[in-house]
Amino acid sequence: EMWRLARSHASIAAHTMSAAPPAMSNVRPLDDVSNIIDLDALHKELEQARSNVEMWMARRELSMKEQVAVHKTNMAVAEEEYVSLVEREKDLAAAAEELARRQEYQQAELDTLQEEAAQAKELGEDLPQQLQVLREQVTTEKDELERESTKVKGDEMVKAQMLQAHLSAVDLYRTRLGLRFEIGDAEELRFFYRHVDPADHEREFMVAVRVVDAGGYELMDCDPDMGDAAQRLLAECNRTDNLSGFVRGVRKLFRESVAEEEVAAVAVALREKAKVSAPSYAPVDEPEPEPEPVAPRTPFNTKPDDMVPL
């Protein structure tokens, strides 16, 4: 409205100037229109109008920017919704396809069950006869199972008796002959003997053998060392596969070694005694040494030949 008012004032001023008759001599020329129009007021009005227009344009521009921002936001939301709808459509399509496959599979299973039901119905007619055959088979298998159970119980009883016999033999070897067994770190089998030395029943003698890959045994240790005699016994054991004979033979070697030690000790004692009691004036014939008394047979000096076979 201010703009229209300013244009209206300018139009009136121009019309007034153009309407003055040039021929009239008594009319003063309109060199200055300040008397007709207040230019300062008009300028203020124009400035006010321009300010109003600029303010309106700024508001309009701000409103347009806001509308553009809202439009962009709405477009982004719409695009997200569109993408979501597309994904939803894909999911629904996949679900529909999966549902179709399941229906097809269930239909196939239903057809199979119907066929099986038909076959079962056909077989049901022969069921009584088949049940009779199964009863006879069960009875036969039950009788066979009872016979096998009786046989197994008999075998277990025999095994228990054999185990008890072996345990008794092991206990006899341990208590009566002082023989015990032990597995060493190198997987060698160690045999420990007691009741070998009549002077010291608790003295232990040991021999150790190990199974070799090629078959047979090899000597790992012997305390006290029996030298080649133990090797010969082991060679005979490998030839005859008689480990029990080897164990008895080694015990016999240990007893012979102890007997030799006793004989040597007696000889030394006799020599010392002869030196002390010999007369200085004339030699005399030394009496023959009395035979060594034989110790009575006890569980501790039983000969190896009397041992129970391993």
Side-chain angles (χ1 to χ4, degrees):
E1 289 180 359
M2 296 297 295
W3 183 255
R4 287 197 300 270
L5 181 60
R7 292 187 60 185
S8 145
H9 284 291
S11 175
I12 293 173
H15 179 71
T16 305
M17 293 178 63
S18 61
M24 297 178 61
S25 57
N26 56 351
V27 177
R28 191 175 51 186
L30 297 176
D31 294 333
D32 187 5
V33 294
S34 58
N35 296 326
I36 301 174
I37 300 173
D38 189 355
L39 295 179
D40 293 335
L42 181 60
H43 181 71
K44 290 180 180 180
E45 291 178 358
L46 289 176
E47 289 295 332
Q48 184 67 31
R50 179 183 297 174
S51 175
N52 293 336
V53 170
E54 289 178 353
M55 185 179 296
W56 174 81
M57 290 180 63
R59 291 177 180 175
R60 188 66 176 173
E61 183 178 3
L62 180 61
S63 176
M64 290 180 65
K65 288 181 180 180
E66 292 177 353
Q67 292 179 2
V68 168
V70 171
H71 177 69
K72 288 182 179 180
T73 303
N74 294 334
M75 287 297 294
V77 173
E79 186 176 359
E80 291 179 358
E81 292 179 354
Y82 174 75
V83 173
S84 176
L85 290 174
V86 170
E87 295 295 332
R88 180 63 176 170
E89 182 181 6
K90 291 181 180 179
D91 294 340
L92 291 175
E97 185 178 356
E98 180 66 21
L99 181 60
R101 284 198 297 269
R102 289 184 180 179
Q103 290 179 350
E104 183 179 357
Y105 176 73
Q106 292 175 355
Q107 184 63 38
E109 284 189 343
L110 180 60
D111 296 340
T112 302
L113 291 175
Q114 290 177 352
E115 293 178 0
E116 292 178 355
Q119 294 177 0
K121 185 176 180 181
E122 295 176 358
L123 294 175
E125 299 175 357
D126 300 332
L127 185 60
Q129 184 178 359
Q130 294 179 358
L131 288 176
Q132 183 62 29
V133 174
L134 290 175
R135 290 193 186 97
E136 294 176 356
Q137 291 179 355
V138 169
T139 302
T140 303
E141 292 178 357
K142 183 178 180 181
D143 295 338
E144 293 179 356
L145 182 60
E146 290 178 355
R147 289 193 296 271
E148 291 293 333
S149 177
T150 304
K151 182 179 179 181
V152 168
K153 289 181 180 178
D155 294 342
E156 289 180 352
M157 185 177 297
V158 172
K159 290 180 180 178
Q161 293 175 354
M162 293 180 62
L163 178 60
Q164 184 61 36
H166 285 298
L167 291 176
S168 299
V170 170
D171 185 66
L172 176 64
Y173 274 97
R174 183 175 60 252
T175 57
R176 300 285 299 277
L177 302 178
L179 179 64
R180 66 183 180 90
F181 310 93
E182 185 179 294
I183 303 298
D185 296 336
E187 297 184 356
E188 74 275 13
L189 179 59
R190 297 175 177 267
F191 300 91
F192 293 89
Y193 303 85
R194 290 185 298 113
H195 308 325
V196 175
D197 188 353
D200 185 4
H201 293 164
E202 297 301 322
R203 178 185 176 187
E204 279 194 334
F205 298 75
M206 186 272 295
V207 64
V209 296
R210 183 176 64 181
V211 179
V212 296
D213 296 337
Y217 305 91
E218 66 175 347
L219 185 64
M220 299 296 296
D221 192 7
C222 186
D223 184 21
D225 187 11
M226 293 292 103
D228 295 337
Q231 293 290 351
R232 286 194 297 271
L233 287 175
L234 187 60
E236 182 66 17
C237 172
N238 290 331
R239 186 181 66 82
T240 60
D241 194 18
N242 185 6
L243 183 61
S244 176
F246 171 75
V247 174
R248 293 196 301 271
V250 171
R251 181 183 180 88
K252 185 176 180 181
L253 290 178
F254 288 151
R255 286 181 59 82
E256 291 175 354
S257 175
V258 171
E260 291 176 358
E261 292 177 359
E262 292 178 352
V263 170
V266 170
V268 171
L270 289 176
R271 285 195 297 269
E272 293 295 332
K273 183 178 180 181
K275 290 179 181 179
V276 172
S277 62
S280 59
Y281 55 89
V284 295
D285 295 333
E286 295 181 359
E288 295 182 359
E290 296 181 359
E292 182 181 353
V294 179
R297 296 173 62 85
T298 66
F300 302 112
N301 64 359
T302 303
K303 293 183 179 180
D305 296 337
D306 298 332
M307 293 173 61
V308 179
L310 290 174

